[in-house]
Short mmCIF file of all heavy atoms in Angstrom, two decimals:
data_model
loop_
_atom_site.label_atom_id
_atom_site.label_comp_id
_atom_site.label_asym_id
_atom_site.label_seq_id
_atom_site.Cartn_x
_atom_site.Cartn_y
_atom_site.Cartn_z
N ILE A 620 -44.44 -2.09 -88.60
CA ILE A 620 -45.68 -1.22 -88.97
C ILE A 620 -46.90 -1.95 -88.29
O ILE A 620 -47.71 -1.35 -87.55
CB ILE A 620 -45.93 -1.00 -90.43
CG1 ILE A 620 -44.81 -0.18 -90.99
CG2 ILE A 620 -47.23 -0.45 -90.67
CD1 ILE A 620 -44.87 0.08 -92.45
N PHE A 621 -47.01 -3.26 -88.69
CA PHE A 621 -48.24 -3.86 -88.22
C PHE A 621 -48.26 -4.10 -86.74
O PHE A 621 -49.21 -3.79 -86.04
CB PHE A 621 -48.38 -5.24 -89.00
CG PHE A 621 -48.99 -5.16 -90.32
CD1 PHE A 621 -48.50 -5.98 -91.25
CD2 PHE A 621 -49.81 -4.15 -90.68
CE1 PHE A 621 -49.03 -5.89 -92.56
CE2 PHE A 621 -50.32 -3.99 -91.87
CZ PHE A 621 -49.96 -4.92 -92.94
N THR A 622 -47.23 -4.76 -86.20
CA THR A 622 -47.29 -5.07 -84.80
C THR A 622 -47.00 -4.02 -83.91
O THR A 622 -47.82 -3.62 -83.11
CB THR A 622 -46.23 -6.30 -84.59
OG1 THR A 622 -46.44 -7.26 -85.47
CG2 THR A 622 -46.50 -6.81 -83.12
N ASN A 623 -45.79 -3.36 -84.07
CA ASN A 623 -45.47 -2.43 -83.14
C ASN A 623 -46.38 -1.10 -83.22
O ASN A 623 -47.02 -0.78 -82.17
CB ASN A 623 -43.98 -1.94 -83.30
CG ASN A 623 -43.10 -2.99 -82.89
OD1 ASN A 623 -43.57 -3.92 -82.24
ND2 ASN A 623 -41.79 -2.80 -83.13
N PHE A 624 -46.50 -0.66 -84.40
CA PHE A 624 -47.25 0.59 -84.46
C PHE A 624 -48.80 0.36 -84.34
O PHE A 624 -49.42 0.89 -83.43
CB PHE A 624 -46.94 1.25 -85.81
CG PHE A 624 -47.71 2.50 -86.04
CD1 PHE A 624 -47.54 3.53 -85.23
CD2 PHE A 624 -48.76 2.56 -86.97
CE1 PHE A 624 -48.28 4.72 -85.37
CE2 PHE A 624 -49.51 3.74 -87.11
CZ PHE A 624 -49.22 4.74 -86.31
N PHE A 625 -49.32 -0.49 -85.22
CA PHE A 625 -50.66 -0.62 -85.27
C PHE A 625 -51.26 -1.26 -84.02
O PHE A 625 -52.04 -0.78 -83.32
CB PHE A 625 -51.10 -1.33 -86.61
CG PHE A 625 -52.52 -1.17 -86.83
CD1 PHE A 625 -53.08 0.05 -87.14
CD2 PHE A 625 -53.37 -2.32 -86.93
CE1 PHE A 625 -54.36 0.27 -87.45
CE2 PHE A 625 -54.69 -2.13 -87.30
CZ PHE A 625 -55.14 -0.92 -87.54
N SER A 626 -50.77 -2.44 -83.74
CA SER A 626 -51.36 -3.23 -82.73
C SER A 626 -51.08 -2.61 -81.36
O SER A 626 -52.00 -2.36 -80.53
CB SER A 626 -50.85 -4.74 -82.66
OG SER A 626 -51.10 -5.32 -83.82
N VAL A 627 -49.82 -2.36 -81.10
CA VAL A 627 -49.46 -1.88 -79.70
C VAL A 627 -49.89 -0.52 -79.59
O VAL A 627 -50.68 -0.18 -78.71
CB VAL A 627 -47.92 -2.08 -79.51
CG1 VAL A 627 -47.65 -1.48 -78.21
CG2 VAL A 627 -47.54 -3.54 -79.50
N LYS A 628 -49.43 0.46 -80.36
CA LYS A 628 -49.73 1.90 -80.06
C LYS A 628 -51.14 2.11 -80.40
O LYS A 628 -51.78 2.73 -79.52
CB LYS A 628 -48.81 2.67 -80.95
CG LYS A 628 -47.34 2.73 -80.31
CD LYS A 628 -46.66 3.90 -80.64
CE LYS A 628 -45.23 3.96 -80.03
NZ LYS A 628 -44.97 2.84 -79.18
N VAL A 629 -51.62 1.88 -81.55
CA VAL A 629 -52.91 2.32 -81.82
C VAL A 629 -53.99 1.64 -81.09
O VAL A 629 -54.67 2.26 -80.36
CB VAL A 629 -53.22 2.18 -83.40
CG1 VAL A 629 -54.62 2.52 -83.69
CG2 VAL A 629 -52.27 3.06 -84.17
N ILE A 630 -54.11 0.34 -81.29
CA ILE A 630 -55.19 -0.39 -80.52
C ILE A 630 -55.04 -0.55 -79.03
O ILE A 630 -55.79 -0.07 -78.30
CB ILE A 630 -55.38 -1.71 -81.22
CG1 ILE A 630 -55.88 -1.42 -82.64
CG2 ILE A 630 -56.37 -2.46 -80.56
CD1 ILE A 630 -56.21 -2.64 -83.45
N TYR A 631 -53.91 -1.14 -78.64
CA TYR A 631 -53.76 -1.41 -77.24
C TYR A 631 -53.63 -0.19 -76.39
O TYR A 631 -54.42 0.06 -75.40
CB TYR A 631 -52.53 -2.21 -77.11
CG TYR A 631 -52.08 -2.71 -75.78
CD1 TYR A 631 -53.00 -3.43 -75.06
CD2 TYR A 631 -51.05 -2.13 -75.07
CE1 TYR A 631 -52.71 -3.84 -73.76
CE2 TYR A 631 -50.75 -2.47 -73.81
CZ TYR A 631 -51.55 -3.37 -73.16
OH TYR A 631 -51.27 -3.70 -71.82
N GLU A 632 -52.75 0.83 -76.74
CA GLU A 632 -52.58 1.92 -75.98
C GLU A 632 -53.80 2.88 -76.12
O GLU A 632 -54.21 3.60 -75.21
CB GLU A 632 -51.31 2.69 -76.30
CG GLU A 632 -50.13 1.88 -75.87
CD GLU A 632 -48.77 2.68 -75.90
OE1 GLU A 632 -48.91 3.89 -76.12
OE2 GLU A 632 -47.80 2.16 -75.73
#
Side-chain angles (χ1 to χ4, degrees):
Chain A
I620 295 179
F621 280 147
T622 309
N623 289 349
F624 177 67
F625 195 61
S626 304
V627 175
K628 284 210 176 356
V629 172
I630 294 187
Y631 178 68
E632 290 192 9

